[in-house]
Amino acid sequence: MAKQLGRRKFLIYGSAALGTSLLLKGCGGSDSSEVGTTESPDGDSSTVAASSGDTIKVGILHSLSGTMEISEKTVVDAEKLAIKEINEAGGVLGKQIEAVVEDGASDWDVFKEKAEKLIDQDNVVTIFGCWTSASRKAVLDVFESKEHMLWYPVQYEGQECSQNVFYTGAAPNQQIEPAVEWLMENKGETFFLVGSNYVFPKTANTIIKEQVKALGGEVVGEEYLELGDQEVTPIIAKIKQDLPDGGVIFNTLNGDSNAAFFKQMKGEGMGPDKYPVMSVSVAEEEVRQIGKEFLLGHYAAWNYFQTVETPENEKWVKAFKEEYGEDRVTNDPMEAAYIMVYLWKQAVEKAGTPDDLEKVREAAIGQTFDAPEGKVTMQPNHHISKTVRIGEINDEGLFDIVWSTDAPVDPVPWNQFVPSTKGYTCDWTATDKEDPGKFKKEE
């Protein structure tokens, strides 16, 4: 059972003027803005209360430095924009949201330390954070041991279903699996897998290998780089050796290793006509920073692209560019981060309190939102239904959508291609189950 945050964490917050001055400090940028201590009414020196006075404190925890900075800084921008919009519209339950931003620095131990600080010292009521599964796994014990709440915005490998986490990125059946099926139907049945050396790529590739085998294809090679490693020459040589006549490359590299990989692919004359690359961690922002000329004609699988044609997306892209500059782009993790702030807001308003985390968790299930990607719904497994899309990188550095599902796809956290999890499901409303986070589906 989730516990309610302690009484001391909600002591009256000194002065309203001070609270207002701290709201979203530095909203236009991504620098860390830590909040110090203040005098409580009883004279003790204690951290500012989570939802005291006119404010509700939330944490933002992403990499603002290191190898993952290329991807995560923009997610912070999206979260700050959502918070700014909500505050300007009256806040949550009549209170303004105050964001405490911390830098995980692309270091999983730092992520854990910062999560503990945000909960224990800053007394936030929830944290919006992480990108890599390594960072999420590093903080998971913190949220579970403290019965706290994390909102996680990035597609991931599945094989997890925590009561303390809400996942607004794709599960494998909402990204990886449709991408494999599309590739086999349109680009070939011989695959080479390249990824970063940590949990997401390795688990994703386990799923891909099982799926390719089930569909009658073949995986001829599998290579990994350490996060941040730029030495891609051995991998390129291995691809050419194992796929001399070309073939599909499924890419689960993360961070700035992608820049070296795509630049050397182009330098070796390995274009998308012969070596089409399908990425699941390269979006508009990465294309912008790497250079569109190196990625032209390659593919990515996501639930959202900037080119999605919905009124909500048109409005969001306009708002984002007005806030951060016309040269900026939006992408899937940013969109998932933006909408998770709104889903949390709606859950808090339904619960009638930001402080009772058990009530907020219960209220979050069933929440819907007209997102830029299309309508999303929070399911009982703490993942959201999402439309699946595949895009081809064009000469503007954006994605031409070449395929999409007709409707949102329900999430499946426990993978049905992997033998050890086939037949398992997750439902946090299934109170009759010994472990609602993982149990056998009824036949």
Side-chain angles (χ1 to χ4, degrees), residues 235-271:
I235 290 181
I236 299 293
K238 191 73 163 51
I239 293 172
K240 294 173 75 173
Q241 174 186 310
D242 292 349
L243 293 175
D245 299 319
V248 174
I249 301 170
F250 206 107
N251 172 33
T252 52
L253 289 170
N254 258 282
D256 51 13
S257 296
N258 276 298
F261 178 71
F262 279 101
K263 288 177 180 180
Q264 188 150 338
M265 284 277 293
K266 184 174 175 62
E268 292 288 328
M270 300 169 69

Side-chain angles (χ1 to χ4, degrees), residues 21-36 57-62 64 76 80 83 97-103 114 117-118 122 124:
S21 71
L22 291 171
L23 294 179
L24 272 182
K25 191 175 180 181
C27 181
S30 291
D31 294 333
S32 176
S33 55
E34 295 186 25
V35 178
K57 262 190 169 183
V58 302
I60 291 178
L61 176 58
H62 292 287
L64 304 178
V76 175
K80 286 183 173 182
I83 291 171
I97 304 170
E98 178 187 340
V100 185
V101 182
E102 288 288 356
D103 180 11
K114 296 294 188 178
K117 173 191 175 290
L118 286 167
D122 297 308
V124 299

Side-chain angles (χ1 to χ4, degrees), residues 103-320:
D103 180 11
S106 305
D107 184 312
W108 322 141
D109 291 335
V110 173
F111 266 92
K112 184 175 182 179
E113 294 168 5
K114 296 294 188 178
E116 291 173 339
K117 173 191 175 290
L118 286 167
I119 295 169
D120 295 336
Q121 297 180 36
D122 297 308
N123 300 322
V124 299
V125 298
T126 195
I127 294 175
F128 305 109
C130 301
W131 176 295
T132 66
S133 288
S135 64
R136 190 192 70 257
K137 292 289 189 184
V139 303
L140 187 59
D141 285 347
V142 174
F143 287 91
E144 295 193 335
S145 65
K146 297 178 183 296
E147 291 286 4
H148 217 275
M149 183 187 300
L150 171 69
W151 290 75
Y152 176 66
V154 184
Q155 48 78 13
Y156 82 122
E157 72 281 357
Q159 308 300 67
E160 180 179 299
C161 187
S162 172
Q163 185 181 20
N164 301 90
V165 182
F166 287 94
Y167 310 79
T168 60
N173 74 299
Q174 298 170 309
Q175 184 196 33
I176 292 171
E177 292 172 27
V180 168
E181 188 170 347
W182 183 86
L183 286 166
M184 292 192 69
E185 291 177 356
N186 295 277
K187 295 298 174 180
E189 299 182 349
T190 306
F191 284 61
F192 192 102
L193 312 181
V194 57
S196 297
N197 188 23
Y198 73 100
V199 61
F200 163 63
K202 290 198 166 183
T203 306
N205 286 341
T206 296
I207 294 168
I208 292 167
K209 287 182 288 186
E210 292 290 345
Q211 185 182 4
V212 169
K213 181 172 67 174
L215 296 176
E218 181 184 13
V219 174
V220 298
E222 181 178 359
E223 294 290 330
Y224 295 92
L225 277 177
E226 297 301 322
L227 273 169
D229 192 347
Q230 307 289 309
E231 183 47 67
V232 298
T233 301
I235 290 181
I236 299 293
K238 191 73 163 51
I239 293 172
K240 294 173 75 173
Q241 174 186 310
D242 292 349
L243 293 175
D245 299 319
V248 174
I249 301 170
F250 206 107
N251 172 33
T252 52
L253 289 170
N254 258 282
D256 51 13
S257 296
N258 276 298
F261 178 71
F262 279 101
K263 288 177 180 180
Q264 188 150 338
M265 284 277 293
K266 184 174 175 62
E268 292 288 328
M270 300 169 69
D273 54 333
K274 188 175 179 180
Y275 293 97
V277 179
M278 175 67 76
S279 299
V280 290
S281 294
V282 172
E284 288 87 343
E285 181 62 23
E286 287 77 17
V287 174
R288 185 174 78 96
Q289 296 200 36
I290 294 169
K292 60 188 179 184
E293 65 273 19
F294 299 106
L295 295 109
L296 182 65
H298 291 294
Y299 300 90
W302 292 104
N303 309 108
Y304 166 87
F305 293 109
Q306 184 174 305
T307 48
V308 167
E309 295 181 356
T310 65
E312 291 80 12
N313 187 42
E314 182 178 353
K315 178 181 177 182
W316 183 55
V317 171
K318 180 181 178 182
F320 188 85

Side-chain angles (χ1 to χ4, degrees), residues 384-437:
I384 62 176
S385 55
K386 301 172 76 71
T387 300
V388 185
R389 297 177 169 96
I390 292 173
E392 180 180 354
I393 300 165
N394 63 30
D395 57 9
E396 294 180 353
L398 299 176
F399 288 83
D400 294 326
I401 298 171
V402 298
W403 179 86
S404 69
T405 56
D406 295 329
V409 175
D410 287 342
V412 180
W414 297 111
N415 193 263
Q416 301 305 296
F417 282 104
V418 177
S420 62
T421 53
K422 186 175 182 178
Y424 283 91
T425 190
C426 167
D427 183 344
W428 287 107
T429 65
T431 55
D432 60 323
K433 303 297 182 182
E434 182 178 350
D435 180 7

